[in-house]
Amino acid sequence: MKIVREAIAGTLESNDVFVRVSPADKGLNIQVQSIVLGQFGAQIEQAARQTAQMLGVQNAVLSLDDRGAIDCTIRARVETALLRGAEVQA
Amino acid sequence: MSKLFPSLEDALRHCGLRDGMTLSFHHHLRNGDGVLNIALAEAARLGIRDLTLQASSLFDVHAPLIDHIKSGVVTGIETNYMSSGIGRAISRGVLKKPVRFRSHGGRADAIDSGRVQIDIAVIAAPAADCMGNANGLHGPAACGSLGYAMPDALHAKHVIVVTDHIVPYPLMPASIEEITVDCVVQVPSIGDPKGIVSGTTQITRDPVALAISRMAAQVIQHSGLLKEGFSFQTGAGGASLAVTQYLRPLMRQLQITGSFGLGGITGYLVDMLQEGYFRTLMDVQCFDLKAVESIRDNPLHQQISATRYASPSAKSTAVNSLDVVVLGATEIDTHFNVNVHTDSNGQIMGGSGGHSDTAAGAKLSMIVAPLFRARLPIVVDQVLCNSTPGHTVDVLVTQRGIAVNPLRADLNQALRDARLPVYPIEELKQMAQRITGTPHTARPRGRVVAEVEYRDGSLLDTIRAVD
């Protein structure tokens, strides 16, 4: 799946994550900001990476502004942002 | 004879302000307080240095304090609570000497017993007369009770009353009596009413908080304490206040009248007083306008001093007669120790206030909190700061289940008999971690920036600097 435009998903509410995706040339670049970076930074990155891989996204910049979302929320928000960025119709 | 001084500068000079002194302040004006800032600015202008601040609490409105620390005007802070804006600066090490945290009761005892010496108490007074009789009932900055200022007024070497509302002598009633007051100063404004009391304190509509408070009310119901003469304290936040909403129908059903509601008083407890659920309110601090009106107009709503509220060395205090207290937590560990001083990164964002006092005094001390908050499980292996020792905490109530302190086998049995969802506290921790994942916890390793003194004067814990 190819990211063709910038897209967003999620909110900055507590327990949610705001995801921004944009096209890129080489590889997955995942940037994570989080209020629980120290406690869950690696797990947040991993959830985002696995979601991109599951959708077959090889090149993209993913930027996450996390407000303490649990894994299923992160996966859902990342998936939505990627589908929007790939202009996939639901 | 006149105690009226034309300016705070004159009053401070009259009281002999000099380097190294201890100045005290109360926090009834909360995040609307203007007096602490005015007084420190005055001291700075006079070139005074090396002051110790003895404040019952500090709020973000006091941010100019940070500059007075940097310039050496203030070199020591002792307080019972510090909101996150000030706490962040302290956690980053702005103050060389560690902050001394106490509880509301512990501070009153330290002052009453002389362990803490106050040179000048600067008392923000919403109403005062020319001889220094003062109360919080009238004037544009009315805040209700002045309970936390009472030990300061009694024991400080000098007392300055600062007001924006002078009334003819004698002011009635006097929360602060003229016998202790050296100087009275009139200023244009002692604070911003918007930051002092909220219009109304709303009960939360958050479904998780409501689930917690419903379960908390069930715990009270089956604790054996909900009977004629029941006494109760709760905080104003989130799930704590909502517990009262579920208590009302239970009390009505049982046809019981409570003896007193205690603590920081909200309009919700005022309603319960007016509707006959409680015989009286004992009020050390008002949280909203309805509480301020009630303490002014209703003789059953009585003001109490910090000493009578919670001093551990008094012959008895209100917390000793308390049946149930509902309290919050940022963390609770598997030994039931509670943290209310720092966030989960170890950064200061609060303080004991009356937390450890009421937990020690009440027959049932209950912590209400969500199983996890912003992905962070409430139950941890070891709290980052021990604010309230586990042996004084009886039960944790979350939306998914209840954990009873093993010291309270009787309560454990009673709640199980009532078929409430009781689990070992470790099980609540695992329940949360199955949803959140396992957090990586790093304890701050910087130098000690604060010491937490327990209500009996012993050192309970220390707080270290974060980056």
Side-chain angles (χ1 to χ4, degrees):
Chain A
M1 203 167 76
K2 186 173 164 58
I3 302 303
V4 296
R5 66 171 178 94
E6 284 196 14
I8 59 171
T11 72
L12 291 172
E13 298 288 319
S14 192
N15 304 304
D16 202 350
V17 57
F18 180 75
V19 181
R20 191 187 295 274
V21 55
S22 51
D25 294 332
K26 24 184 183 200
L28 274 178
N29 178 359
I30 300 177
Q31 295 153 7
V32 178
Q33 280 186 320
S34 173
I35 56 168
V36 290
L37 194 68
Q39 291 87 354
F40 291 106
Q43 292 175 58
I44 295 166
E45 215 250 63
Q46 191 189 21
R49 186 170 298 280
Q50 284 175 351
T51 305
Q53 283 165 352
M54 182 194 78
L55 292 171
V57 175
Q58 281 159 0
N59 301 309
V61 177
L62 266 172
S63 152
L64 281 69
D65 195 344
D66 171 61
R67 298 295 155 101
I70 54 178
D71 255 19
C72 57
T73 308
I74 294 168
R75 290 174 194 275
R77 295 304 195 193
V78 169
E79 180 173 343
T80 303
L82 289 171
L83 291 174
R84 284 173 180 163
E87 295 195 330
V88 172
Q89 301 298 316
Chain B
M1 166 193 182
S2 174
K3 293 183 183 173
L4 275 172
F5 282 72
S7 71
L8 187 54
E9 176 186 342
D10 293 305
L12 287 167
R13 283 187 193 280
H14 177 81
C15 295
L17 178 68
R18 58 172 190 276
D19 292 358
M21 277 190 159
T22 295
L23 263 53
S24 92
F25 300 87
H26 71 75
H27 72 282
H28 290 282
L29 304 183
R30 302 201 294 171
N31 205 38
D33 176 44
V35 170
L36 187 147
N37 290 342
I38 298 172
L40 289 186
E42 208 55 59
R45 210 172 54 81
L46 294 171
I48 302 293
R49 299 180 60 79
D50 202 18
L51 294 175
T52 294
L53 206 57
Q54 175 53 253
S56 54
S57 292
L58 293 169
F59 290 86
D60 288 353
V61 71
H62 299 130
L65 167 61
I66 310 294
D67 286 331
H68 295 308
I69 293 171
K70 287 178 182 162
S71 63
V73 176
V74 172
T75 53
I77 295 179
E78 308 192 354
T79 190
N80 309 341
Y81 176 95
M82 184 181 286
S83 60
S84 60
I86 310 287
R88 188 178 310 124
I90 297 297
S91 280
R92 288 177 185 169
V94 69
L95 185 68
K96 201 174 283 174
K97 187 176 165 193
V99 167
R100 191 77 175 180
F101 275 113
R102 291 191 179 82
S103 67
H104 285 331
R107 178 181 190 270
D109 172 46
I111 294 170
D112 292 339
S113 68
R115 265 193 295 133
V116 158
Q117 298 275 336
I118 299 168
D119 294 299
I120 306 174
V122 182
I123 298 181
D129 64 30
C130 60
M131 287 299 172
N133 294 298
N135 69 34
L137 309 180
H138 306 284
C143 62
S145 177
L146 288 182
Y148 294 124
M150 292 176 179
D152 306 40
L154 277 179
H155 300 290
K157 294 190 187 85
H158 299 281
V159 174
I160 301 173
V161 163
V162 181
T163 188
D164 53 12
H165 186 68
I166 294 268
V167 302
Y169 183 92
L171 170 76
M172 283 271 292
S175 305
I176 304 298
E177 294 186 343
E178 61 184 308
I179 52 175
T180 65
V181 179
D182 296 80
C183 311
V184 180
V185 179
Q186 187 169 14
V187 295
S189 166
I190 61 167
D192 174 9
K194 281 198 284 295
I196 297 170
V197 287
S198 48
T200 55
T201 310
Q202 295 289 341
I203 294 233
T204 180
R205 293 164 69 185
D206 169 14
V208 172
L210 290 175
I212 296 165
S213 44
R214 195 181 311 119
M215 189 137 29
Q218 289 172 330
V219 170
I220 295 169
Q221 180 185 3
H222 295 288
S223 67
L225 295 167
L226 195 60
K227 53 191 184 205
E228 187 64 24
F230 171 69
S231 60
F232 180 66
Q233 174 169 343
T234 182
S240 307
L241 185 61
V243 175
T244 55
Q245 166 175 297
Y246 294 103
L247 267 182
R248 286 162 74 116
L250 289 173
M251 291 176 75
R252 198 162 48 224
Q253 220 170 33
L254 295 167
Q255 293 187 308
I256 60 171
T257 304
S259 52
F260 66 96
L262 177 64
I265 297 294
T266 61
Y268 215 82
L269 277 169
V270 170
D271 288 342
M272 291 182 80
L273 173 70
Q274 288 172 354
E275 292 164 28
Y277 288 94
F278 288 105
R279 288 204 311 272
T280 176
L281 299 180
M282 296 169 89
D283 188 339
V284 72
Q285 180 187 15
C286 297
F287 280 141
D288 56 27
L289 275 178
K290 206 169 195 172
V292 174
E293 285 163 13
S294 168
I295 199 171
R296 188 183 62 213
D297 300 333
N298 188 344
L300 298 175
H301 182 161
Q302 58 174 328
Q303 179 172 224
I304 58 171
S305 68
T307 303
R308 187 173 173 202
Y309 173 46
S311 166
S313 64
K315 293 184 181 173
S316 78
T317 59
V319 298
N320 298 130
S321 294
L322 189 59
D323 287 328
V324 176
V325 65
V326 181
L327 297 164
T330 60
E331 301 175 313
I332 179 168
D333 69 25
T334 48
H335 296 95
F336 286 84
N337 300 307
V338 175
N339 177 10
V340 288
H341 278 91
T342 77
D343 65 17
S344 303
N345 297 314
Q347 187 162 291
I348 298 168
M349 44 121 290
S352 192
H355 200 283
S356 60
D357 297 311
T358 51
K363 293 189 186 73
L364 175 66
S365 70
M366 177 191 292
I367 305 296
V368 293
L371 192 63
F372 59 94
R373 189 189 274 136
R375 200 171 182 167
L376 294 165
I378 191 77
V379 183
V380 298
D381 290 324
Q382 192 188 1
V383 284
L384 288 177
C385 175
N386 188 356
S387 310
T388 296
H391 71 86
T392 64
V393 173
D394 296 311
V395 60
L396 165 68
V397 179
T398 74
Q399 74 271 35
R400 300 289 185 96
I402 298 160
V404 181
N405 191 321
L407 295 172
R408 292 295 310 272
D410 57 325
L411 182 65
N412 190 42
Q413 194 57 49
L415 299 184
R416 282 179 188 277
D417 289 347
R419 296 174 183 280
L420 291 176
V422 180
Y423 301 94
I425 194 164
E426 290 80 6
E427 175 58 27
L428 289 182
K429 186 189 94 178
Q430 285 156 14
M431 215 185 275
Q433 290 195 0
R434 279 196 290 274
I435 300 166
T436 63
T438 308
H440 169 76
T441 41
R443 305 181 77 83
R445 291 166 183 276
R447 69 174 179 86
V448 172
V449 293
E451 298 164 339
V452 179
E453 182 180 305
Y454 191 48
R455 60 200 302 263
D456 64 6
S458 63
L459 182 68
L460 192 56
D461 209 345
T462 55
I463 301 173
R464 291 181 176 275
V466 298
D467 301 328

